Amino acid sequence: MFAARASTLARSLSRQGVPTSSSSAAAAAAGRATTNATSNSMGARRKMGGGAHWMEVSPVHTYAGEICGFFAWIWIFHRAKEDLGVVLGFRHPWE
């Protein structure tokens, strides 16, 4: 249990470019990560997905989403007008 935590700690420290002790598993992880840390000025950063970019949605889907959201809020306000007193406990539903 402690060996697993030590190797996890060694990996997290080595990703930040901090030298670690030389145990067998930690040394292998530290060797890979410090190589990456020295080649990258910001430390060992993993680039997953090719960078940050926003999801592009067609205008038709954007307008459809706005229309659905509009009708959802209309329904919420209608139900609030009808049942808000019951929800807040100001009146009983059978009155």
Side-chain angles (χ1 to χ4, degrees):
M1 181 168 96
F2 294 114
R5 282 194 186 173
S7 64
T8 304
L9 178 63
R11 278 194 306 264
S12 65
L13 289 176
S14 65
R15 285 184 186 138
Q16 297 171 2
V18 177
T20 58
S21 64
S22 61
S23 68
S24 62
R32 283 191 311 266
T34 54
T35 304
N36 291 337
T38 56
S39 66
N40 189 354
S41 64
M42 291 182 59
R45 294 210 110 146
R46 298 169 64 187
K47 295 179 177 52
M48 296 183 171
H53 54 79
W54 294 101
M55 181 174 60
E56 295 180 14
V57 181
S58 68
V60 173
H61 290 101
T62 301
Y63 295 136
E66 295 223 1
I67 290 169
C68 289
F70 171 76
F71 282 115
W73 280 108
I74 292 297
W75 178 252
I76 289 169
F77 289 140
H78 170 70
R79 294 312 306 164
K81 180 183 140 197
E82 298 293 323
D83 295 335
L84 190 61
V86 175
V87 171
L88 295 177
F90 295 143
R91 67 180 177 91
H92 296 292
W94 53 85
E95 291 178 351

